[in-house]
Amino acid sequence: MNGLGGTGAQQSKDCSFAAGSVAGAPLRVSWFLVILFLSQLVDAINEHQLPLWVRITQVTVNELLLLFTVLCHEMGHGTMARRCGGTIAEVLLWPFGGICFTTRGPTQDPKQSLTNELYIVAAGPATHFPMSFAWVVLLGAYGAAVSHVVRPSSYLYLVPFGSPPPPCFNPGWEGCFHSYSGWLMYSFLARAIQLNVMLFLFNVFFPMYPMDGAKLIVCSLQLFCGASARCAAKVLLCTSIPLSVIFIGDALLSAMGRSFMGGRGGGLQPSIMAYMGIMCLSESYRIYRLFQEERLYTHPLFALARSDTTRVVDRHGATTRLNTSERDDPEAAAAPQVQFSEIRAFAGQGRSLGEVPSTAPYQNLGMPADSRAAWLKRMEDDQAQRNKTVRELEDERLVAKR
């Protein structure tokens, strides 16, 4: 395991601690995640805009909501892997979100393996739909309990990049919250909805490998669009590499307070974003090397790059044999382009009825007249040969023997 997955596996081994189990799978938490949480606490303490206990509660509960959402996302992957015959080795929570280390069920069919991979990848983002619905229901119920507060409709928080802010806090106003506890509760429920929406969009519509969106594109191209594995690899590289560079560039701009993706300067967040972009570039480079070496079939996303059998045509005819090659199947040659000829009205070479056809018009086809006549003679001889009876053929064979 290399790249981002390999880094997560190494952290799970050396830089994490056991935090119980989830659905029978061991759960581990990276120490770097604890360091990031402590950094966020320090930033909140230095703000001095709200009471200290409110700031600490905000950071703590928001982090718990994020970890709960990520954990449900990863368990979606793991649960589907179990349904496909695999197992969950462990789940790691770290600064990049989470990793569910799973095994795959035994299967000899590359297409079935890729289908199972598509199910496993799609199961993670699919968990955000029931979670978003549950949080919207809870927010609506809580809003009904505090009916004196002026608040937006709960479903408006499902709108990405345009969600309304939580209601105001002012003990002297009738339409605002009068206690921090009520205001925090409403803010946390709204935050939970927004987290699910943004994580779904980021995972599905941000095709930077190894994000789920890149895997969904690769699997769908091969299974539903009939694209070859090498073509899907080209698409993956063309989307993942530029996005990784943008991710690294935005992290550098975020450190200077000029982020165009909404990041904030300071703290460990820019460093984590840059490191994640570098790891994604490393994964893309690994796929590029496999592409150059024609060994994409060794990657789980490109199991269709090499066929189990190959068709061989020799002097004995066409036969199907086991594919013993250790390289990907050669890409199919591009279809020849269709050449269109201009059609002009009343520009043909006609002849009168009863007129003997001339061989001259055939010269316009790029074929000499004598070659055309010889070709027609061969066609007539072949047709006559096919129309002969069995008796006539036997007579010709006897004549040939004499």
Side-chain angles (χ1 to χ4, degrees):
M1 185 182 295
N2 299 320
L4 196 63
T7 304
Q10 192 66 31
Q11 278 202 24
S12 179
K13 180 181 178 181
D14 301 332
C15 305
S16 65
F17 59 92
S21 62
V22 180
L27 176 63
R28 301 188 66 85
V29 178
S30 172
W31 285 109
F32 292 103
L33 184 61
V34 177
I35 295 174
L36 178 62
F37 171 67
L38 294 177
S39 174
Q40 292 174 340
L41 276 180
V42 172
D43 292 340
I45 291 173
N46 293 330
E47 285 183 359
H48 303 292
Q49 295 180 354
L50 296 172
L52 180 61
W53 73 271
V54 175
R55 285 174 275 158
I56 294 178
T57 303
Q58 277 184 318
V59 173
T60 303
V61 177
N62 284 336
E63 186 70 19
L64 291 176
L65 286 174
L66 176 61
L67 294 181
F68 174 78
T69 305
V70 171
L71 183 59
C72 291
H73 178 106
E74 297 303 325
M75 288 308 299
H77 293 307
T79 303
M80 184 56 68
R82 283 177 172 174
R83 292 181 63 88
C84 293
T87 59
I88 303 177
E90 66 179 17
V91 179
L92 171 68
L93 297 178
W94 65 333
F96 303 123
I99 299 180
C100 184
F101 298 97
T102 60
T103 61
R104 302 296 186 261
T107 177
Q108 301 296 329
D109 184 10
K111 187 173 183 179
Q112 184 61 43
S113 300
L114 194 60
T115 303
N116 292 343
E117 190 71 23
L118 178 62
Y119 289 155
I120 294 171
V121 172
T127 59
H128 296 294
F129 287 96
M131 283 193 289
S132 298
F133 176 77
W135 288 118
V136 168
V137 172
L138 289 176
L139 181 61
Y142 183 73
V146 290
S147 57
H148 67 281
V149 177
V150 178
R151 65 197 185 282
S153 301
S154 302
Y155 66 86
L156 292 179
Y157 291 99
L158 293 171
V159 179
F161 310 110
S163 300
C168 60
F169 169 79
N170 193 326
W173 287 31
E174 182 63 26
C176 297
F177 280 101
H178 298 164
S179 65
Y180 278 114
S181 58
W183 178 76
L184 285 174
M185 177 63 68
Y186 192 96
S187 300
F188 292 146
L189 293 175
R191 174 67 173 170
I193 299 173
Q194 294 170 333
L195 270 176
N196 279 276
V197 173
M198 297 309 298
L199 286 177
F200 174 80
L201 294 177
F202 180 73
N203 277 277
V204 175
F205 298 102
F206 200 82
M208 183 177 71
Y209 188 79
M211 303 299 174
D212 293 336
K215 298 177 182 178
L216 289 173
I217 290 177
V218 169
C219 294
S220 299
L221 284 175
Q222 297 177 80
L223 290 175
F224 306 131
C225 300
S228 65
R230 295 182 65 82
C231 177
K234 293 177 184 177
V235 174
L236 175 64
L237 293 175
C238 290
T239 58
S240 184
I241 293 177
L243 288 175
S244 300
V245 174
I246 292 175
F247 212 72
I248 296 173
D250 183 73
L252 297 177
L253 292 176
S254 179
M256 298 183 293
R258 300 178 181 178
S259 171
F260 56 86
M261 293 176 62
R264 293 180 299 176
L268 298 176
Q269 196 68 26
S271 301
I272 292 175
M273 292 175 60
Y275 187 70
M276 185 176 181
I278 293 173
M279 289 296 99
C280 291
L281 277 179
S282 175
E283 282 285 309
S284 300
Y285 178 72
R286 184 167 72 96
I287 295 176
Y288 174 76
R289 288 291 302 272
L290 293 176
F291 181 88
Q292 292 295 105
E293 297 170 0
E294 298 183 0
R295 295 176 56 248
L296 279 174
Y297 72 94
T298 60
H299 196 281
L301 286 180
F302 305 103
L304 297 180
R306 176 180 175 272
S307 305
D308 293 332
T309 60
T310 181
R311 186 174 178 83
V312 179
V313 180
D314 52 19
R315 61 188 181 88
H316 300 290
T319 57
T320 300
R321 301 177 184 176
L322 293 176
N323 188 4
T324 58
S325 173
E326 295 183 357
R327 294 184 178 274
D328 299 336
D329 295 338
E331 290 188 272
Q337 295 182 352
V338 179
Q339 297 182 355
F340 296 94
S341 59
E342 184 180 2
I343 300 178
R344 296 181 180 178
F346 309 106
Q349 296 182 356
R351 60 185 177 86
S352 303
L353 292 176
E355 181 182 351
V356 178
S358 174
T359 58
Y362 297 113
Q363 295 178 358
N364 296 331
L365 300 177
M367 180 184 296
D370 55 349
S371 299
R372 176 69 179 180
W375 179 76
L376 291 175
K377 183 64 170 62
R378 286 197 302 271
M379 293 292 294
E380 293 176 357
D381 293 342
D382 292 341
Q383 185 65 29
Q385 187 71 15
R386 285 194 293 268
N387 293 336
K388 288 182 179 180
T389 63
V390 177
R391 181 63 180 176
E392 291 174 343
L393 293 174
E394 290 179 353
D395 292 343
E396 289 182 357
R397 190 160 43 249
L398 291 175
V399 172
K401 289 182 179 180
R402 295 175 186 175

